[in-house]
Structure formats: C-alpha cells, structure tokens
Amino acid sequence: MASTGDMTKADSLVGLADRTAHEAGAVPVTLLSGFLGAGKTTLLKRILEQTHAQDTVRVAVLVNDMAEVNIDADLVRSTKLLQREEKLVELHNGCICCTLREDLIKALAELAAEKKFDAILIESTGVSLPQEVAETFAVNVTSQSSATMPPGWEMEPILKALGGKSSLNEVARLDTCVTMVDCVTFHSNMATAAKAGEQFKGSVDANDMRHVGPLLMQQIEFADVIVLSKCDIVEEKVASSVEDAVRSLNPGAKVIRALRGDVPLSSVLRTGLFDMKKASTSAGWMQQWKGVEVVPETEEYGIHSFVYKARTPFHPLRLMNFFTDILFVNCRDGICSPLGPPKGEEPMSRDEKPKTDAHEYQLKRDRMLEKFGHILRSKGCMWLAGRDHLIGGWEQAGSIGEFDCAGPWMAFLPKEKWPPLNSAPGLRLVQQSDGPVLMDRRQELVFIGQQLKRDAITKALDACLLVKDDLMAPSTPLLPTIGEEDGDLSNREKEEWTKHGWKLGVNYLDDPFPRWPDEKEFAKMIGIA
C-alpha cells in the first residue's frame, strides 16, 4: 500500500508539473530506461535513423553511462547520424538519478536554450530509477535554501542555465518514460537474489546493493511505454509470458514488441503520455488495491491477481516462516530470518556444508512454484500481534521481499490528528475502519503473478493469523477504561470488545522482526505523548 508520505510527495510534484508541463517553448523529453543489454542503444540508434530519414524531427540525445569512457555514446556516433542538427551530450562516471542530477538540469536546460530541437532523448544508465529522474524536472530551484540544497550542488550555474525559470520542467518537460524489457532475461532477473553490483559487475558501481528484481520492477511500473526486445530470439510462449507479466505489473502502459529497436517515432517521441500522478499510481498492485480489475486473466499464461484481507493480527513467527520459506526477506535493520527452520525441515548440523546463496535461492524458488505459483509482485500493509500501534509495510518483487514500519494506524492517533472525514483521506479511513476496536487495523496484501494458487496462498496466510490458543490466558477481554466525561460503553461497543478485544496487546509471542518503537516511544516521537 502506498504510504501517506509517498502520496503527499507525489501530489506535490504533480501540482508543479501540471502548472509547468506545457509552458510555451518547453522541449518534450523522452527518458529511456532499461537494464544493461536490454537494447536501449539499439532503440536510440533506430530512432535517430528514422528522424534522419524523415527529416521531420530534430532530436538532441543525452547519453548517461556509469563508465568513465562512454561506450554507448561512441556507438551512437558510429551511426554517422549526427551530421544534421542532432546533438549528443555525454554525462558519465555517475548516474543521473542520484549523483548527476545537477548536471542533468544544466545539460537539458542548455540544450533547450539552443531552440534547435523538437525533442530530447535521454538514454539513462541501466540501473537508474525513472521516478527519481522525473522528480528532478519538478524541483523548484529558486526555492532552495542552503539548508535544503542537495549536498555539493552549485546553484548559480543551474540558475544561469535555466535562464530565470524556477524549474527544469519550464524549459524541458518530461514527455514520455520508456522502459526496455529484455524477453531473454526478464524471468531470470525477476527471480534472482543478486544485487546490481554483482549482476552487472564492471558496468555499475560495485557497491550498489540494490536488488535486481525490485530495480526492474520500479522501471516497469513507472513507464508510459514498455518496449519488449529480443522477442524474435525466444519462443513465442516466452515472449507472450513476458508481455502478459508486464501488462499485469503496469496495466496503464503501452506495450510494444520491437524487432531490433524498430518502433514508430510517434510511440516514443512527443507522445504527451507522461503525468506524474498517473505514473505514481499506475502500478498493477495499486490498481488492484483500489479494486480496479486490470490484470488480464489469460488462461494460457495464468496471469492473476487478488487481494488478501483479514481483520486479525499475524503471529509474527508464523508470518516470518511463511515468507522466508519462499523468499529472501530484508528488514530495515538487516536480514530477517525465522527463529527456526521451515516447518518439516531439520536444522542443518555443524558438519553439514553450508548452502550457497544460489542453492538456497533455488530451494526457495522451487518451494514457491510448487506451493503457490510464481508470485511476481506483492505489496500491502500488515498488522503484527503485539504491535497494535504501527503498520507493517510489505513489498516484494521477484525473489526479494522487504518489510518495514510504515507509520501509525489511525486507531493509535487522537481524533484531532485524523484527516477531516469529508476529505478523500478521511473517506478512506471510514472505508478502512471496522468498528470501534479494530478501526483501521487490518491485513491487506495484493498479489500478482503467473499460475498463482490463490487458495493455497490464502490458506497459508490464514494459518499465520493469531488464534485464541496463542494467548497465555484465554479469557473474555477486559473492557477499556472509560473516563466519566466519555460516559459508559454502548452495547455495540461492549459486543465489539468481546468479539475483537482479545486480539490486542498480545506482546509476548516469539517475534523475529526488528524492534520498532513501542507505544510510548512512538507517541513521544510524533508529539502526542
């Protein structure tokens, strides 16, 4: 589930983007993303060939590569396509989604200032995140103080390049986000537990600890256009499987199969497709979470999705065992691990040779496929027993799952901290609430995958829920203390406490998750103590 902070950030960027996206003279920019070897440079060269042959669109190209010697730029030059008015700008030895944001603003602003180009095409590094690049367009540089200025930025050259404009979006607007997906490596990239620095050794920063699957997921989910490459060198069933998978992951994107980078210019240049709000909310998991039926229920390739819901907390150890049985799970404070071996397996003896990461990965993957099908994506909020005040945020892409604290349940906050009930957040709170005891505490997890065994996943998660037999002393729960000014509990409230009160305060179970602030600590942190 998207956190309130994520949505607020996206909405603030949307406001600025909407005001400036179509400023007169703003050059439309296409951002091209995709893993190393996916075919970005081939597509770029094909685009330049078409613009050169048609002599209708003048394109400037900005190539970003992590290497000190920009091989991609050399390849583009070798096509002898820069003889007319195309212009190539190189940004190297860094990534435009992080260390080179300052250079990106200056380079695009300077290209736009030449007033020679109908479009600008950015080929980003294979491990860049398009959302972070998109956010750069909306940064109001004139409002940056020394305290909010990114470390190392020199604002004077940026302001000079922008020519008095307050943001990059006013001179060069982001028009289209294109992601290249390699049909040959898609499934292996989604399934691997490798990190980017390991998978693309020699081409990216060796210390890049981001996992490959989640990186690819973010590139796919943020795209306006997804171009499938190498469809001609895989079997049709593989290409169709990849196509159905990306459609389910981003149902709002236009999906194109490309033969050696051959796509219509109108599909990738000056499309007008990019919209920050749409891009931030178009992921398949979010659409499913909203109740929008978007995933193609194809019989042959088995693309399915569903939302798991419950109103009882998870037993922490049982939940952790469920996830670590089939996934590598990261927590905020390190690797999550169960307190014992998965059910039915014996612990490894000291004399037994430790399993390699590759072997462990294969075991987990085989168990997932056998028990539950191929879970491509899952995301949502969870309620852990004994942690009744804070939301457990879950996010999984491929073989990697991530668990973190995602903020407070509204049930924990005083009413003066709630959003107005007639506002959109307030209406969501009302919809998510289930009576005066549970309120918004719940399990709500979206699953998207191929050949998913929904009943098996549901049954396994149900088995992770707290039951009365888990309690130290099962009994009728004590009613909460009510002040005189509040009056007595109504009959309905008493019934709710009798029905659900046993689910609260169960803080003595085995819990392998990293520690979160307790109620008093968190209340002090947010100023309600």
Side-chain angles (χ1 to χ4, degrees), residues 428-447:
R428 284 198 298 271
L429 173 60
V430 172
Q431 293 170 353
Q432 295 164 354
S433 185
D434 185 20
V437 178
L438 299 184
M439 296 187 63
D440 61 329
R441 299 181 183 97
R442 67 195 186 281
Q443 318 296 355
E444 190 167 359
L445 297 168
V446 177
F447 290 86

Side-chain angles (χ1 to χ4, degrees), residues 244 296-305 374 449-452:
D244 286 337
E297 301 289 339
T298 55
E299 181 177 349
E300 184 174 0
Y301 301 108
I303 297 293
H304 296 285
S305 71
H374 188 189
Q450 294 173 300
Q451 307 296 342
L452 283 186

